[in-house]
Amino acid sequence: MLGDWPQEFWDYLILDAAPPATDLGSLAVGDLDGDGKVEMVVGGSGALLWYRPATFERGIIAEGAFHVGLVVEDIDGDGLPEVVSSTGDGRCRIEWFKPEGTLSGCWSRHVLADGCPGSIHDLLFAASGRPSRSPPTARSRASSSTSPART
């Protein structure tokens, strides 16, 4: 035991010894396909990737430059979370990604906000509090822009 934590809690798993991206600075966690297994999403220079630690499955969501801003949030209201990330391939943008079928297949890419001033560091999503389905608000920490989500 380490304090109140069982020692096995601290097992170290290498999910990908040579990921197809560098500078992996973004991380989000959630059940992307509703199967009860948690997936990890990481992004950096070169790719946005998903991993399923329970089974060691993995895949590429998209290629490009993905900054620190990364969340797993239900954008389209279907009950399953999508992956939302800031991108920086020459201009600042917030995009969301949805698997077209299984996680291992193709992912559709959608622009949430384009040409954001500054650079996106943290993303925060919040509902408006109205009972009807209203678009979430994305707010970036590094700039003062607030962009309503378009679904």
Side-chain angles (χ1 to χ4, degrees), residues 27 42 49 63 69 72 88 105 112 120 130:
L27 170 69
V42 296
L49 312 161
E63 294 180 347
V72 174
L112 191 62
I120 308 288
R130 295 184 303 186

Side-chain angles (χ1 to χ4, degrees), residues 18-143:
T22 59
D23 301 323
L24 297 172
S26 57
L27 170 69
V29 177
D31 183 2
L32 298 175
D33 56 4
D35 66 354
K37 296 181 179 123
V38 174
E39 285 83 33
M40 294 173 47
V41 179
V42 296
S45 298
L48 185 62
L49 312 161
W50 68 269
Y51 296 93
R52 183 175 288 154
T55 62
F56 288 91
E57 294 172 85
R58 62 186 180 190
I60 296 175
I61 295 171
E63 294 180 347
F66 301 93
H67 298 296
V68 176
L70 179 65
V71 295
V72 174
E73 184 71 36
D74 185 7
I75 296 295
D76 62 4
D78 68 354
L80 293 174
E82 286 77 38
V83 175
V84 183
S85 179
S86 59
T87 61
D89 56 357
R91 66 179 192 216
C92 184
R93 190 176 325 161
I94 301 172
E95 296 179 326
W96 62 280
F97 303 87
K98 180 178 186 75
E100 297 176 4
T102 67
L103 299 182
S104 298
C106 293
W107 288 65
S108 58
R109 187 174 195 159
H110 310 270
V111 175
L112 191 62
D114 198 2
C116 306
S119 64
I120 308 288
H121 190 275
D122 296 323
L123 290 175
L124 173 67
F125 280 80
S128 67
R130 295 184 303 186
S132 63
R133 184 177 155 234
S134 58
T137 298
R139 181 159 178 88
S140 66
R141 179 175 174 261
S143 69

